[in-house]
Amino acid sequence: MVDTFTQKCTRCGEGYPRRKMVGACQKCGGIIKISYDYSEVGKTLDKKKIRGRPFNLWRYSELLPLSSAENVITLGEGGTPLIRSERFASKLGLRNLYFKDEAMLPTGSLKDRCATVSISKAKEAAVKSVVISSSGNAAASMSAYSARAGIRCLVFVPSSAVPSKLLQVTTYGGKVIKVNGTTGNSVKLAADATRKFGWPNVSTAAVYNPYALEGQKTSAYEMVEQLDWKTPDWLVIPVGSGNNLAGHWAGFSDFDELGFTNRRPKIAAVQAAGCAPFTEAVEKGSKPSEVQAWENPETIAGGVRDEFPYDVELALPALRESKGVAVNVTDSEIIETMKGLGADEGIYSEPTGAVAAAGLKHLVASRTIDKDELIVVMVTGSGLKDPGSLSRHFPEPPVIDADINHATKYLA
Ligand SMILES: *Cc1c(COP(=O)(O)O)cnc(C)c1O
């Protein structure tokens, strides 16, 4: 926790004091970029020092936008496993495949990285209430961390949100309001609430909240460490808003700037075929300003059902700079992949959590990815988040009397 960062608008250059919690630029509405003085950071942070600290997200505190350690709100987040794939990989003919299992974070999804940084910043700025729009996971994360910080968390979700996720939010003390229509409507309401009441908008997109991305990037730091300071050849990642993609790119870039690594991965973005504005933008070669909202978004993967990729301004240039690609997957491919992750690897994923892994098949079939390349695939949310999603896809288990002869029939 050293004051190695600045908060500045990417559009007009307006700067903000370190202790202030900023959303979008108050002057022009531009995205706030948090930058680090790498030569200062390098004075206290090196590979050996990092390794000597507890394996959680705050071990990278010199690269996080907080002024004092006493404001950290933590549930032990970070340090998620990087699991080497055996059976799932060999079915695809891949030799160097890993899953970064973000389902292992405290509330069961990657959004805890966003929440620990955002809510710690809110504590530092003495904020009393925050507001968020979310399909459920970010709301659960923000509510949990807000509970620990004694901050009120108001949540707008699309009415299609999964009930089990809303129950999680409510249990953490978050106040849930369902909004009719698509994600865009709840996104609009959260922004309106910030304008009207002044509560910071902690939605996990840099256009509203620059701290979410600062949390996301730590997963990139972790995987580099877990690969013994090697950068993967490919990062395969699901895209909704694109915040997660942009965050990882920032993380790989930080480690390059610090001299811990000397290259960045190619990024494969994966979207659901029923809601794929980002893939379309990549394929068409669109500028961020030309990207259109998707009409009638429809997919089982609620966490990426964003009709508009809110962080397209950051995510699209990042993907292009990485020389990456974007592919789509169908709902039935997502379901097959959830089963495969479970039965082949012991990983229980929610539909959105399996989107990236589902994209692998396409990337291998098109020979975009080479079988010997080092690949990290993000698993972003736990199956426990949305336990009903597979119920129609497995047969009911048999019910028998307590007699081994009955059991034998089924065990053969
Ligand atoms: C939010 C979310 C994503 C998508 O991340 P973006 O930053 O919106 O692109 C992926 N998986 C899960 C489980 C999520 O909750």
Side-chain angles (χ1 to χ4, degrees):
M1 225 65 46
V2 277
D3 278 342
T4 46
F5 66 97
T6 52
Q7 314 194 104
K8 243 188 196 166
C9 177
T10 49
R11 204 183 287 164
C12 74
E14 178 76 0
Y16 294 88
R18 288 196 185 97
R19 282 190 170 259
K20 188 175 167 66
M21 182 173 194
V22 224
C25 178
Q26 289 162 359
K27 251 185 151 176
C28 76
I31 293 176
I32 301 296
K33 181 174 167 56
I34 296 167
S35 307
Y36 298 83
D37 180 338
Y38 294 112
S39 64
E40 276 302 313
V41 169
K43 283 184 192 162
T44 57
L45 201 68
D46 58 36
K47 291 183 183 179
K48 197 158 159 258
K49 280 237 179 62
I50 293 178
R51 278 281 159 90
R53 296 176 181 178
F55 194 22
N56 66 53
L57 181 159
W58 291 97
R59 75 190 335 211
Y60 312 107
S61 60
E62 288 90 340
L63 292 163
L64 292 169
L66 225 57
S67 286
S68 51
E70 67 200 29
N71 295 318
V72 171
I73 303 294
T74 181
L75 286 162
E77 59 290 325
T80 59
L82 187 72
I83 300 167
R84 190 182 171 94
S85 173
E86 301 291 343
R87 266 176 286 276
F88 193 98
S90 83
K91 285 181 180 169
L92 291 165
L94 298 171
R95 285 184 270 271
N96 275 304
L97 176 66
Y98 291 83
F99 295 109
K100 181 70 170 156
D101 190 3
E102 297 282 274
M104 296 296 283
L105 286 159
T107 77
S109 91
L110 79 171
K111 298 297 198 302
D112 288 340
R113 294 187 190 271
C114 306
T116 186
V117 177
S118 302
I119 301 302
S120 298
K121 194 66 192 175
K123 171 102 188 297
E124 186 154 275
V127 163
K128 297 277 179 285
S129 303
V130 294
V131 60
I132 181 171
S133 155
S134 157
S135 68
N137 286 343
S141 296
M142 292 296 172
S143 304
Y145 286 82
S146 292
R148 288 200 67 80
I151 290 173
R152 206 170 68 116
C153 186
L154 178 66
V155 170
F156 292 112
V157 294
S159 48
S160 60
V162 182
S164 49
K165 293 189 181 182
L166 302 187
L167 200 53
Q168 193 185 11
V169 176
T170 307
T171 305
Y172 292 136
K175 167 84 184 148
V176 178
I177 299 176
K178 292 197 200 179
V179 184
N180 288 323
T182 59
T183 312
N185 288 355
S186 46
V187 167
K188 176 188 168 299
L189 266 188
D192 287 350
T194 296
R195 266 190 294 276
K196 183 152 186 187
F197 304 108
W199 305 323
N201 184 347
V202 292
S203 300
T204 54
V207 283
Y208 300 110
N209 167 18
Y211 308 104
L213 183 149
E214 295 302 300
Q216 290 288 6
K217 70 183 184 182
T218 58
S219 145
Y221 300 163
E222 286 178 15
M223 70 178 75
V224 166
E225 274 199 68
Q226 287 167 314
L227 292 167
D228 209 13
W229 305 102
K230 276 206 297 285
T231 308
D233 295 310
W234 283 96
L235 177 71
V236 186
I237 192 164
V239 169
S241 71
N243 187 255
N244 189 27
L245 190 162
H248 278 81
W249 189 244
F252 289 115
S253 305
D254 282 347
F255 267 22
D256 265 11
E257 294 287 346
L258 285 162
F260 296 169
T261 50
N262 58 15
R263 62 191 196 99
R264 293 176 289 180
K266 288 171 277 186
I267 296 180
V270 188
Q271 288 212 291
C275 181
F278 188 77
T279 305
E280 190 178 76
V282 172
E283 281 169 358
K284 282 187 175 164
S286 313
K287 294 194 193 105
S289 60
E290 295 166 347
V291 175
Q292 299 289 324
W294 193 262
E295 272 176 48
N296 305 317
E298 187 57 61
T299 168
I300 187 180
V304 289
R305 208 189 289 130
D306 302 45
E307 68 226 56
F308 188 76
Y310 296 96
D311 274 340
V312 69
E313 202 178 315
L314 302 177
L316 202 49
L319 184 105
R320 288 192 176 130
E321 208 186 326
S322 87
K323 303 196 164 50
V325 297
V327 295
N328 293 338
V329 294
T330 64
D331 281 3
S332 59
E333 287 169 333
I334 293 171
I335 287 160
E336 281 318 300
T337 305
M338 289 166 75
K339 292 180 177 177
L341 286 173
D344 292 335
E345 302 286 351
I347 296 173
Y348 191 32
S349 165
E350 67 167 301
T352 313
V355 163
L360 262 184
K361 218 198 247 164
H362 295 277
L363 296 163
V364 171
S366 63
R367 309 221 172 152
T368 305
I369 281 183
D370 185 85
K371 303 200 164 184
D372 287 314
E373 285 183 297
L374 179 56
I375 307 157
V376 175
V377 173
M378 301 305 296
V379 176
T380 50
S382 166
L384 298 171
K385 285 275 190 175
D386 187 2
S389 56
L390 283 184
S391 55
R392 286 185 297 113
H393 301 281
F394 287 115
E396 279 289 312
V399 181
I400 60 167
D401 294 327
D403 175 342
I404 190 62
N405 294 318
H406 284 192
T408 309
K409 191 171 136 200
Y410 292 103
L411 299 177

